[in-house]
Amino acid sequence: MRRAGDRHVGFVSTSDLRKSWYHPQIKIPAGERAARWALVTRYGLLKGRGAEEYWLPPSVDKVETTGGSIRLTLSTEVKTRDDSDGKMLGFAVAGEDRRFYPAEANWFADGTKNDRNRIEYKKNVLVLTNRFVPAPVHYRYAWARNPMGNVVNKPRGCPPRPTK
């Protein structure tokens, strides 16, 4: 709705706050996310100082299928929410048969190196693969009754919405 031009509608993803049912049991973080939306969009807090990143969850801007993987370009840089050794959880990929398998998600690296001779990763581009899906064409994120997704945007920790 936001991309359609309706700036008066807010969306708060709570997929990471559910424990055993559809409705979030952890209320305070959900309320804080809704309050951030209201403070930025209705009351003009942080005008011109990264206000969008303060409340807006990451969204998929571009999807590419290349050589056995799906590449997702996101609106902001993302990180893992917890200490899961940097593994991004909650993604699945499928081929033309639409049978989904858990995906291995990694940040995209185009081979450039920084001044310490280490590979630089584009933290707003994710590459999804699975060895059982040689030519993936579909993906989903946190699409389950109790999703295990742990990806959040870098500045404020807002999770992306579940996607199919």
Side-chain angles (χ1 to χ4, degrees), residues 43-161:
Y43 297 104
L45 181 73
L46 301 173
K47 205 161 240 162
R49 296 182 293 170
E52 293 292 308
E53 293 177 355
Y54 186 71
W55 75 272
L56 197 61
S59 60
V60 177
D61 289 341
K62 185 177 175 186
V63 179
E64 298 173 281
T65 56
T66 57
S69 67
I70 294 180
R71 190 181 306 167
L72 306 176
T73 303
L74 304 171
S75 59
T76 62
E77 290 189 356
V78 294
K79 62 179 182 175
T80 56
R81 181 173 177 250
D82 51 15
D83 57 350
S84 57
D85 298 328
K87 287 188 176 186
M88 290 177 265
L89 306 173
F91 288 97
V93 293
E96 289 292 336
D97 61 356
R98 296 180 92 54
R99 293 186 66 184
F100 283 90
Y101 294 90
E104 184 177 314
N106 294 301
W107 287 294
F108 177 71
D110 59 1
T112 58
K113 295 187 177 184
N114 62 13
D115 56 353
R116 293 180 165 180
N117 204 24
R118 294 182 181 158
I119 294 177
E120 285 198 3
Y121 295 97
K122 291 186 178 183
K123 301 248 177 156
N124 69 323
V125 180
L126 301 179
V127 179
L128 309 177
T129 59
N130 182 294
R131 64 186 179 136
F132 298 116
V133 184
V137 291
H138 305 286
Y139 80 94
R140 61 186 178 193
Y141 174 73
W143 196 260
R145 179 178 175 183
N146 236 356
M148 300 299 292
N150 66 343
V151 175
V152 295
N153 71 348
K154 203 158 192 169
R156 298 300 298 178
C158 294
R161 66 180 177 83

